[in-house]
Amino acid sequence: MPDAILDDISHRRYNPLRGSWILVSPHRTKRPWQGQQEAASQTTLPDYDPSCYLCPGNKRAQGDTNPKYTAEEPFIFVNDYSAVKEEQAEYSTPDQDGSISARLLRAESTTGKCYVITFNPAHNLTLADLRPPQILPIVKAWTRIYTAHISPKSPLASISPPTTLPPSGQDESTIAPKAQYRYMQIFENKGAAMGCSNPHPHGQIWTTTSLPEEPATELVQLAKYRREQGGAHLLEDYAQLEVEKQERVVYENPAFLAVCPWWATWPFEVMVISKKHRRALVDLSEEEQMQLAEVLQEVTRRYDNLFETHFPYSMGLHQAPLEGSKEEIESSHFHIHFYPPLLRSATVRKFLVGYEMLAEPQRDITPEQAAARLRNCAGELYRK
């Protein structure tokens, strides 16, 4: 275990993946709470909702009709309300001979394509409800759409040639990109507390011509570590360290580790890490794909069991850019972040406010305590 004194004193922990620090205040877990409480998540959704925009056969908001898709083939479509446009006017801040305006008021156009992926035709089955073989088609769909967008110049293209072939029964134009995008962010927002606008279990996939801030920050740190440590990979070394210590491990199988990271910000934050260096989804073998499905089910089931509720979170995959330098691609390490807001119960959440917005992130419960609680939440899903 970490030095016992860290359970009682305020201290800072370093996040090597971001090059930043977080304040840990374990003594604050004893403070009374009279603040805002969230409504507990609804747990009695129907198998099918005729008013749902994502259920099979239903009409979406802009009039298109969903196919009668199955659990074996997740339905992917272009988001009806995409955050970025595929085609638009180009723009960059005009060069104004070093003026203050040019230095401080910068902007650039960004194009891209946004998708929605339904996890299952059933309106009420989340990842926690599905068995690993039922999650595997989601992993394969993620892999397929990532592959379809890889740059032909990428080192990844040699092991997984780009394809524009769509999932069966879907229009090729849905998947085929019109431009070469820089990055693909695959994510899920689960629960109203995380801003999810539709309870039907689904995720999103945003591709952009720019490299977003979070993966860009991590990529700088991953590449720096690799250069300074003679080719070693930060997350491969970290996964090995956590396996040896077993202090923050929530679950592991031969290919993946689920851990409450040493530097976690959110109370029950979990990171899923490939134990061996895998740059992206396309590096995973079929056996590793199944083990990824298994660890996703383990994490989400334990979340729901913790407070016996549909546990809200934002979850996202970080992997190699679709297009980038050899150093960027080879330094990338496949991992998944789970950021859940709940703190003390199904109705009390953590807020990133005040000091955390103005100074640096802060947490109360330690990652070691959080991991121990999640380890104890194994077993059958509470609502079965």
Side-chain angles (χ1 to χ4, degrees):
M1 292 293 290
D3 293 338
I5 192 173
L6 294 183
D7 285 336
D8 296 311
I9 66 168
S10 52
H11 62 280
R12 297 169 84 211
R13 296 191 182 192
Y14 181 64
N15 180 351
L17 197 54
R18 289 187 48 82
S20 60
W21 291 82
I22 176 173
L23 175 64
V24 184
S25 312
H27 54 285
R28 276 168 55 92
T29 57
K30 300 173 184 177
R31 66 179 177 140
W33 180 261
Q34 293 182 315
Q36 177 176 320
Q37 298 197 24
E38 304 291 324
S41 298
Q42 183 180 357
T43 58
T44 56
L45 294 173
D47 179 70
Y48 169 76
D49 181 350
S51 66
C52 171
Y53 296 133
L54 299 180
C55 280
N58 287 1
K59 279 193 174 183
R60 299 203 303 276
Q62 294 195 356
D64 292 334
T65 300
N66 297 329
K68 296 280 189 178
Y69 62 92
T70 68
E72 290 72 34
E73 193 68 79
F75 176 46
I76 300 174
F77 61 93
V78 176
N79 196 319
D80 295 323
Y81 300 96
S82 293
V84 287
K85 296 181 178 180
E86 285 188 82
E87 299 178 89
Q88 63 181 17
E90 289 291 325
Y91 179 83
S92 62
T93 302
D95 182 3
Q96 297 177 356
D97 300 322
S99 68
I100 294 176
S101 178
R103 287 200 302 271
L104 302 182
L105 307 181
R106 297 173 58 189
E108 62 181 18
S109 58
T110 297
T111 58
K113 198 168 185 176
C114 299
Y115 305 92
V116 174
I117 173 172
T118 58
F119 291 161
N120 194 276
H123 186 73
N124 57 356
L125 295 183
T126 68
L127 293 179
D129 296 286
L130 302 176
R131 294 176 290 104
Q134 295 173 298
I135 297 175
L136 182 60
I138 301 169
V139 173
K140 288 185 176 294
W142 286 340
T143 305
R144 188 184 186 107
I145 196 165
Y146 177 84
T147 302
H149 290 73
I150 293 174
S151 169
K153 300 176 183 178
S154 170
L156 295 169
S158 63
I159 63 166
S160 186
T163 177
T164 56
L165 293 177
S168 60
Q170 295 184 36
D171 182 3
E172 182 173 337
S173 64
T174 300
I175 306 302
K178 294 181 179 179
Q180 181 54 62
Y181 300 122
R182 180 88 159 95
Y183 195 77
M184 174 177 286
Q185 182 58 64
I186 299 171
F187 64 100
E188 178 197 8
N189 293 326
K190 180 187 175 187
M194 301 310 291
C196 183
S197 60
N198 189 316
H200 190 120
H202 69 284
Q204 299 188 55
I205 303 166
W206 292 13
T207 59
T208 55
T209 50
S210 55
L211 182 62
E213 287 287 321
E214 289 298 314
T217 298
E218 291 186 355
L219 195 49
V220 168
Q221 292 299 109
L222 292 170
K224 178 183 176 184
Y225 187 92
R226 183 167 173 253
R227 287 193 304 270
E228 294 177 348
Q229 303 302 324
H233 295 281
L234 189 159
L235 287 180
E236 188 172 25
D237 285 353
Y238 178 63
Q240 181 179 345
L241 180 66
E242 289 287 18
V243 168
E244 291 171 357
K245 290 184 173 294
Q246 290 291 312
E247 295 165 353
R248 289 165 291 277
V249 174
V250 175
Y251 176 80
E252 65 176 303
N253 58 29
F256 290 95
L257 174 74
V259 60
C260 293
W262 169 262
W263 53 80
T265 295
W266 295 94
F268 294 95
E269 179 177 329
V270 166
M271 184 161 61
V272 173
I273 312 169
S274 173
K275 289 183 175 180
K276 297 298 182 183
H277 180 229
R278 299 291 183 264
R279 300 164 296 181
L281 285 164
V282 293
D283 279 339
L284 302 183
S285 66
E286 291 206 2
E287 183 178 3
E288 288 170 334
Q289 288 180 338
M290 178 58 81
Q291 290 177 16
L292 176 57
E294 178 183 279
V295 74
L296 290 172
Q297 205 280 334
E298 286 286 343
V299 171
T300 54
R301 189 180 79 252
R302 290 163 194 262
Y303 272 165
D304 281 16
N305 283 346
L306 179 62
F307 296 134
E308 295 192 352
T309 188
H310 284 279
F311 203 85
Y313 58 75
S314 281
M315 173 271 284
L317 284 59
H318 280 178
Q319 56 188 324
L322 299 168
E323 182 176 58
S325 67
K326 183 176 181 181
E327 181 185 47
E328 287 178 329
I329 303 301
E330 297 305 326
S331 297
S332 297
H333 190 116
F334 179 82
H335 61 285
I336 301 175
H337 293 286
F338 280 88
Y339 297 140
L342 297 186
L343 174 59
R344 301 184 180 204
S345 69
T347 59
V348 176
R349 64 170 293 170
K350 175 183 175 62
F351 294 92
L352 286 178
V353 296
Y355 186 89
E356 293 150 307
M357 295 179 71
L358 300 168
E360 67 184 10
Q362 181 272 342
R363 65 176 292 127
D364 297 344
I365 180 176
T366 67
E368 295 77 27
Q369 294 166 337
R373 292 185 64 179
L374 289 172
R375 282 196 299 272
N376 292 333
C377 289
E380 189 172 59
L381 187 63
Y382 78 93
R383 56 180 172 269
K384 291 291 186 181

